Amino acid sequence: MVTAADPEETRTSVWLTARPAAPARRRSEAPSGLDRERITAATVRLLDAEGLGRFSMRRLAAELGVTAMSLYWYVDTKHDLLELALDRALGELALPAAPDPKPESPPEALPESPPETGPEAGPGTGPAAWPGRLRVLACGYRKLLVAHPWVAPLTAAYPNIGPHARAFDAALQRLLDATGLAEARRTGAHLAVSYFLHGCGGAARRLPERDFRLALDVLIAGIGGVAGIGGVAGSAVKTA
């Protein structure tokens, strides 16, 4: 089983290694109907069904109906494949859209309109929207960890710098940018949220939903307090 504690083994992330293309003659010898995408998808299914402890290249090859050596046409090591599977799972997470770009100047010919209020105003607009959007992002991440229990240990074991992981990190940063915190404090808030989400991963199946949401509310209230914004917490305490 892969764990975060492998101090004697030095690995390079699959995302940092350019894999040279095989010569044309050797490519023609590769098994037909197999590619990295199909192998990665099968890895996710197998990890979901049997867990990280039972995963092996031989077991995956049997699932795909090929020999274990066939897989090494597409990945160099099992670690590379697990990194690919990790990022594929993270790609299932719905991320909040980037905020609309701020217009340079209002049209001169139109009178100024009052700000939108009530149900017509989109839930993701305005600086006050970040607490709700952060809750949605955090709860979505928790659901992902419950659906794929192997994601939490792999996140601790690998750099987690694939494209979907970086998109998640960028989405979180956009939400924190909307808090109005100074840059140094945004960095601290980013660390706090990241550690909270990754820390709850090992307890995702055991921690009751109410307790998770209460802890999340406390975290959001703390960020709002540092930013000088009151009244940003409350989803778990008031509704659960």
mmCIF file of all heavy atoms in Angstrom, residues 180-204:
data_model
loop_
_atom_site.group_PDB
_atom_site.id
_atom_site.type_symbol
_atom_site.label_atom_id
_atom_site.label_comp_id
_atom_site.label_asym_id
_atom_site.label_seq_id
_atom_site.Cartn_x
_atom_site.Cartn_y
_atom_site.Cartn_z
ATOM 1 N N GLY A 180 -11.442 40.156 0.800
ATOM 2 C CA GLY A 180 -10.866 41.458 1.099
ATOM 3 C C GLY A 180 -9.671 41.391 2.031
ATOM 4 O O GLY A 180 -9.144 42.427 2.445
ATOM 5 N N LEU A 181 -9.237 40.181 2.382
ATOM 6 C CA LEU A 181 -8.062 40.044 3.242
ATOM 7 C C LEU A 181 -6.805 40.537 2.540
ATOM 8 O O LEU A 181 -6.687 40.443 1.314
ATOM 9 C CB LEU A 181 -7.862 38.576 3.621
ATOM 10 C CG LEU A 181 -8.834 37.966 4.635
ATOM 11 C CD1 LEU A 181 -8.662 36.455 4.665
ATOM 12 C CD2 LEU A 181 -8.607 38.554 6.018
ATOM 13 N N ALA A 182 -5.868 41.051 3.331
ATOM 14 C CA ALA A 182 -4.565 41.400 2.789
ATOM 15 C C ALA A 182 -3.871 40.130 2.312
ATOM 16 O O ALA A 182 -4.202 39.016 2.730
ATOM 17 C CB ALA A 182 -3.719 42.093 3.858
ATOM 18 N N GLU A 183 -2.890 40.301 1.436
ATOM 19 C CA GLU A 183 -2.264 39.143 0.795
ATOM 20 C C GLU A 183 -1.702 38.145 1.805
ATOM 21 O O GLU A 183 -1.906 36.927 1.674
ATOM 22 C CB GLU A 183 -1.149 39.606 -0.148
ATOM 23 C CG GLU A 183 -0.503 38.452 -0.911
ATOM 24 C CD GLU A 183 0.529 38.940 -1.905
ATOM 25 O OE1 GLU A 183 0.677 40.171 -2.076
ATOM 26 O OE2 GLU A 183 1.197 38.084 -2.525
ATOM 27 N N ALA A 184 -1.000 38.624 2.815
ATOM 28 C CA ALA A 184 -0.406 37.723 3.804
ATOM 29 C C ALA A 184 -1.486 36.942 4.548
ATOM 30 O O ALA A 184 -1.330 35.746 4.825
ATOM 31 C CB ALA A 184 0.455 38.512 4.784
ATOM 32 N N ARG A 185 -2.587 37.586 4.850
ATOM 33 C CA ARG A 185 -3.669 36.910 5.563
ATOM 34 C C ARG A 185 -4.435 35.961 4.650
ATOM 35 O O ARG A 185 -4.963 34.943 5.099
ATOM 36 C CB ARG A 185 -4.600 37.943 6.188
ATOM 37 C CG ARG A 185 -3.919 38.695 7.333
ATOM 38 C CD ARG A 185 -4.873 39.598 8.086
ATOM 39 N NE ARG A 185 -4.238 40.127 9.278
ATOM 40 C CZ ARG A 185 -4.853 40.882 10.182
ATOM 41 N NH1 ARG A 185 -6.134 41.189 10.009
ATOM 42 N NH2 ARG A 185 -4.208 41.329 11.236
ATOM 43 N N ARG A 186 -4.501 36.294 3.360
ATOM 44 C CA ARG A 186 -5.118 35.359 2.418
ATOM 45 C C ARG A 186 -4.316 34.067 2.353
ATOM 46 O O ARG A 186 -4.875 32.975 2.243
ATOM 47 C CB ARG A 186 -5.215 35.971 1.018
ATOM 48 C CG ARG A 186 -6.322 36.975 0.848
ATOM 49 C CD ARG A 186 -6.702 37.156 -0.620
ATOM 50 N NE ARG A 186 -5.576 37.423 -1.496
ATOM 51 C CZ ARG A 186 -5.087 38.628 -1.731
ATOM 52 N NH1 ARG A 186 -5.613 39.686 -1.140
ATOM 53 N NH2 ARG A 186 -4.078 38.784 -2.561
ATOM 54 N N THR A 187 -2.997 34.199 2.414
ATOM 55 C CA THR A 187 -2.144 33.009 2.407
ATOM 56 C C THR A 187 -2.435 32.143 3.632
ATOM 57 O O THR A 187 -2.556 30.919 3.533
ATOM 58 C CB THR A 187 -0.658 33.411 2.400
ATOM 59 O OG1 THR A 187 -0.385 34.189 1.225
ATOM 60 C CG2 THR A 187 0.237 32.185 2.413
ATOM 61 N N GLY A 188 -2.571 32.780 4.797
ATOM 62 C CA GLY A 188 -2.901 32.034 6.005
ATOM 63 C C GLY A 188 -4.271 31.382 5.914
ATOM 64 O O GLY A 188 -4.462 30.240 6.334
ATOM 65 N N ALA A 189 -5.250 32.105 5.355
ATOM 66 C CA ALA A 189 -6.591 31.544 5.203
ATOM 67 C C ALA A 189 -6.584 30.370 4.237
ATOM 68 O O ALA A 189 -7.277 29.369 4.460
ATOM 69 C CB ALA A 189 -7.552 32.631 4.704
ATOM 70 N N HIS A 190 -5.801 30.484 3.178
ATOM 71 C CA HIS A 190 -5.691 29.391 2.206
ATOM 72 C C HIS A 190 -5.136 28.136 2.877
ATOM 73 O O HIS A 190 -5.655 27.026 2.688
ATOM 74 C CB HIS A 190 -4.778 29.825 1.045
ATOM 75 C CG HIS A 190 -4.886 28.960 -0.162
ATOM 76 N ND1 HIS A 190 -5.146 29.467 -1.411
ATOM 77 C CD2 HIS A 190 -4.768 27.617 -0.332
ATOM 78 C CE1 HIS A 190 -5.194 28.478 -2.283
ATOM 79 N NE2 HIS A 190 -4.953 27.353 -1.653
ATOM 80 N N LEU A 191 -4.105 28.309 3.684
ATOM 81 C CA LEU A 191 -3.536 27.174 4.413
ATOM 82 C C LEU A 191 -4.550 26.582 5.382
ATOM 83 O O LEU A 191 -4.674 25.351 5.495
ATOM 84 C CB LEU A 191 -2.276 27.612 5.167
ATOM 85 C CG LEU A 191 -1.020 27.826 4.333
ATOM 86 C CD1 LEU A 191 0.087 28.436 5.192
ATOM 87 C CD2 LEU A 191 -0.541 26.509 3.722
ATOM 88 N N ALA A 192 -5.284 27.446 6.078
ATOM 89 C CA ALA A 192 -6.260 26.966 7.059
ATOM 90 C C ALA A 192 -7.346 26.122 6.388
ATOM 91 O O ALA A 192 -7.710 25.041 6.865
ATOM 92 C CB ALA A 192 -6.883 28.145 7.799
ATOM 93 N N VAL A 193 -7.873 26.606 5.259
ATOM 94 C CA VAL A 193 -8.920 25.860 4.556
ATOM 95 C C VAL A 193 -8.367 24.555 4.001
ATOM 96 O O VAL A 193 -9.003 23.497 4.094
ATOM 97 C CB VAL A 193 -9.524 26.722 3.431
ATOM 98 C CG1 VAL A 193 -10.515 25.899 2.602
ATOM 99 C CG2 VAL A 193 -10.220 27.949 4.002
ATOM 100 N N SER A 194 -7.158 24.611 3.422
ATOM 101 C CA SER A 194 -6.563 23.405 2.840
ATOM 102 C C SER A 194 -6.330 22.338 3.906
ATOM 103 O O SER A 194 -6.668 21.158 3.711
ATOM 104 C CB SER A 194 -5.234 23.746 2.148
ATOM 105 O OG SER A 194 -5.449 24.623 1.057
ATOM 106 N N TYR A 195 -5.778 22.740 5.037
ATOM 107 C CA TYR A 195 -5.529 21.774 6.111
ATOM 108 C C TYR A 195 -6.850 21.236 6.679
ATOM 109 O O TYR A 195 -6.938 20.060 7.044
ATOM 110 C CB TYR A 195 -4.693 22.411 7.222
ATOM 111 C CG TYR A 195 -3.216 22.420 6.942
ATOM 112 C CD1 TYR A 195 -2.501 23.614 6.827
ATOM 113 C CD2 TYR A 195 -2.512 21.227 6.777
ATOM 114 C CE1 TYR A 195 -1.146 23.617 6.561
ATOM 115 C CE2 TYR A 195 -1.152 21.224 6.508
ATOM 116 C CZ TYR A 195 -0.470 22.421 6.393
ATOM 117 O OH TYR A 195 0.869 22.416 6.123
ATOM 118 N N PHE A 196 -7.849 22.093 6.742
ATOM 119 C CA PHE A 196 -9.156 21.641 7.226
ATOM 120 C C PHE A 196 -9.733 20.572 6.289
ATOM 121 O O PHE A 196 -10.182 19.503 6.740
ATOM 122 C CB PHE A 196 -10.108 22.827 7.318
ATOM 123 C CG PHE A 196 -11.526 22.438 7.640
ATOM 124 C CD1 PHE A 196 -11.902 22.137 8.940
ATOM 125 C CD2 PHE A 196 -12.487 22.367 6.642
ATOM 126 C CE1 PHE A 196 -13.211 21.767 9.239
ATOM 127 C CE2 PHE A 196 -13.787 22.006 6.930
ATOM 128 C CZ PHE A 196 -14.160 21.699 8.230
ATOM 129 N N LEU A 197 -9.709 20.832 5.003
ATOM 130 C CA LEU A 197 -10.286 19.886 4.042
ATOM 131 C C LEU A 197 -9.505 18.583 3.998
ATOM 132 O O LEU A 197 -10.084 17.489 3.990
ATOM 133 C CB LEU A 197 -10.328 20.530 2.651
ATOM 134 C CG LEU A 197 -11.281 21.713 2.486
ATOM 135 C CD1 LEU A 197 -11.186 22.279 1.081
ATOM 136 C CD2 LEU A 197 -12.707 21.313 2.807
ATOM 137 N N HIS A 198 -8.180 18.667 3.975
ATOM 138 C CA HIS A 198 -7.372 17.458 3.925
ATOM 139 C C HIS A 198 -7.394 16.727 5.263
ATOM 140 O O HIS A 198 -7.355 15.496 5.312
ATOM 141 C CB HIS A 198 -5.935 17.805 3.527
ATOM 142 C CG HIS A 198 -5.837 18.407 2.159
ATOM 143 N ND1 HIS A 198 -4.806 19.252 1.787
ATOM 144 C CD2 HIS A 198 -6.641 18.303 1.074
ATOM 145 C CE1 HIS A 198 -4.994 19.631 0.534
ATOM 146 N NE2 HIS A 198 -6.087 19.070 0.085
ATOM 147 N N GLY A 199 -7.474 17.490 6.347
ATOM 148 C CA GLY A 199 -7.490 16.858 7.657
ATOM 149 C C GLY A 199 -8.760 16.086 7.928
ATOM 150 O O GLY A 199 -8.733 15.050 8.604
ATOM 151 N N CYS A 200 -9.877 16.564 7.387
ATOM 152 C CA CYS A 200 -11.133 15.851 7.613
ATOM 153 C C CYS A 200 -11.250 14.644 6.706
ATOM 154 O O CYS A 200 -12.178 13.847 6.843
ATOM 155 C CB CYS A 200 -12.333 16.772 7.418
ATOM 156 S SG CYS A 200 -12.779 17.066 5.691
ATOM 157 N N GLY A 201 -10.305 14.483 5.764
ATOM 158 C CA GLY A 201 -10.394 13.374 4.821
ATOM 159 C C GLY A 201 -10.352 12.020 5.479
ATOM 160 O O GLY A 201 -11.148 11.128 5.143
ATOM 161 N N GLY A 202 -9.462 11.835 6.445
ATOM 162 C CA GLY A 202 -9.365 10.536 7.096
ATOM 163 C C GLY A 202 -10.568 10.207 7.935
ATOM 164 O O GLY A 202 -10.843 9.047 8.234
ATOM 165 N N ALA A 203 -11.350 11.243 8.320
ATOM 166 C CA ALA A 203 -12.527 11.021 9.163
ATOM 167 C C ALA A 203 -13.816 11.266 8.401
ATOM 168 O O ALA A 203 -14.872 11.406 8.990
ATOM 169 C CB ALA A 203 -12.473 11.941 10.380
ATOM 170 N N ALA A 204 -13.745 11.321 7.066
ATOM 171 C CA ALA A 204 -14.916 11.696 6.275
ATOM 172 C C ALA A 204 -16.087 10.759 6.500
ATOM 173 O O ALA A 204 -17.235 11.175 6.517
ATOM 174 C CB ALA A 204 -14.550 11.738 4.791
#
